[in-house]
Amino acid sequence: MEDETKNLSTPIALVLSSLGYSYVLATYMTKGLTRVLFLLPTFYLLTIFPWYFTSSLLRGVLSFFITWITSFKLLPFCFNKGPLTACKNYLDFVAIAIFPLKIQENTHPHLTLSLSFKTLSSIMARYELVTLFNKPYLATSLQDFWGRRWNRLSSNILRQTIYEPTQNVLVGNFVGVGKARILAMITTLVISGIMHELMFYYISCGTRPTWEVTWFFVLQGISMVFEGALKYLARVKGWTPVHPTVFNVLTLAFVSFTFSWFLVLPVWRSGRNECGFRPKILPFRE
């Protein structure tokens, strides 16, 4: 147990120090690509962090919160955007970067780091837990499910880092708003699929990706486009509205079936709890 604690103290210290580096150095760097370049060591450390843990469940959870979400919070921070820009001190920066938290409005930054109960209470009162799920079982469409109800933490981060910038670039290059939204949505889902593929890579101990996870999200994007077109056609033709319960059942059935086929089966085939190696980026393993 003592050896395991020693082994874990190193990656934890690396993450905390790399976030400290990002907070202090990036604050004094010109926003934009300069910050991104100087934060490359931090991004690298975040990618190897999950390998220090032997449990496949822990690797999956940490790759989501640390490798994916923390990295995607740092990216907009490089351009003075995103939730990390509201942080006034290092403790706030670490808490918001790692955990599903946001700083509450109308609160004042604490001036001391003493570990008294009163101070800890005031510190925790500054944070608000981000709602991860908003009753996904009530979704009446794929757009409602993925955009407003399922994993709102990753949805918000993807919107800030991928969807909105992509849409702005496409509109700025004389692409219609409608087409820009569709292309931005599909791009966002492809990136989401790649990040989920990375999570499965950690869970399966570095097994070569089958890309089924990525295709799952591509399929969701194509289906949302088809869904939107069908709704538009129904409005134009004046078809009789279908009861929301029918859409609810169809949405949940489609998501459940595709989820089982593209996500559950790959993990079932290749997931292992013990990798048998310590942290380092390894070549794909058969």
Side-chain angles (χ1 to χ4, degrees):
M1 184 68 178
E2 184 177 349
D3 291 339
E4 188 70 18
T5 303
K6 280 184 177 180
N7 290 330
L8 295 184
S9 63
T10 300
I12 292 174
L14 284 174
V15 169
L16 293 179
S17 60
S18 63
L19 288 177
Y21 163 84
S22 303
Y23 175 71
V24 174
L25 186 62
T27 301
Y28 295 99
M29 288 292 166
T30 305
K31 68 177 182 179
L33 292 179
T34 303
R35 285 192 187 181
V36 175
L37 291 175
F38 274 91
L39 261 61
L40 287 179
T42 297
F43 293 131
Y44 170 74
L45 289 174
L46 295 180
T47 62
I48 67 173
F49 180 75
W51 291 127
Y52 281 90
F53 298 84
T54 57
S55 167
S56 61
L57 176 61
L58 265 179
R59 290 194 305 273
V61 171
L62 292 172
S63 63
F64 173 74
F65 283 104
I66 304 297
T67 307
W68 179 2
I69 299 300
T70 299
S71 297
F72 274 48
K73 286 180 180 179
L74 286 171
L75 279 174
F77 173 71
C78 293
F79 299 88
N80 282 348
K81 296 180 181 179
L84 293 179
T85 56
C87 300
K88 304 301 182 183
N89 53 64
Y90 171 67
L91 184 59
D92 281 351
F93 193 82
V94 171
I96 302 302
I98 294 178
F99 301 104
L101 299 171
K102 61 181 179 180
I103 297 178
Q104 296 193 50
E105 297 180 0
N106 301 321
T107 58
H108 301 284
H110 52 280
L111 302 178
T112 177
L113 294 179
S114 64
L115 297 180
S116 66
F117 178 77
K118 183 178 180 180
T119 303
L120 285 175
S121 299
S122 63
I123 291 174
M124 294 309 299
R126 288 174 40 74
Y127 306 128
E128 179 182 351
L129 187 66
V130 175
T131 303
L132 295 180
F133 301 98
N134 181 25
K135 300 178 181 179
Y137 52 86
L138 296 180
T140 56
S141 68
L142 291 175
Q143 185 176 5
D144 182 34
F145 183 88
W146 293 112
R148 291 183 288 270
R149 296 186 180 276
W150 182 262
N151 200 342
R152 296 179 66 188
L153 176 63
S154 61
S155 295
N156 291 335
I157 292 296
L158 285 168
R159 185 179 66 254
Q160 295 172 9
T161 57
I162 307 298
Y163 180 82
E164 292 177 352
T166 302
Q167 182 180 349
N168 293 337
V169 169
L170 291 174
V171 172
N173 286 275
F174 309 104
V175 176
V177 175
K179 291 182 179 179
R181 287 177 178 174
I182 293 174
L183 292 173
M185 179 184 66
I186 293 177
T187 301
T188 302
L189 287 167
V190 170
I191 297 299
S192 177
I194 292 173
M195 297 311 296
H196 279 84
E197 201 80 57
L198 180 63
M199 290 171 55
F200 280 74
Y201 176 71
Y202 288 108
I203 293 172
S204 62
C205 301
T207 302
R208 182 185 297 273
T210 61
W211 303 110
E212 291 168 286
V213 180
T214 301
W215 278 113
F216 168 79
F217 286 96
V218 172
L219 177 62
Q220 302 303 310
I222 295 173
S223 301
M224 276 192 277
V225 173
F226 177 77
E227 178 185 73
L230 194 60
K231 286 184 177 180
Y232 175 77
L233 183 62
R235 288 195 302 268
V236 172
K237 297 291 186 180
W239 294 342
T240 303
V242 180
H243 196 278
T245 303
V246 176
F247 286 121
N248 173 248
V249 172
L250 290 175
T251 299
L252 295 183
F254 179 79
V255 171
S256 299
F257 175 76
T258 53
F259 179 87
S260 300
W261 185 264
F262 288 98
L263 273 72
V264 174
L265 288 180
V267 175
W268 183 268
R269 290 195 303 264
S270 58
R272 287 180 289 174
N273 191 58
E274 297 291 338
C275 285
F277 60 84
R278 273 297 170 189
K280 56 184 176 180
I281 302 295
L282 295 179
F284 289 132
R285 302 168 65 226
E286 300 290 350

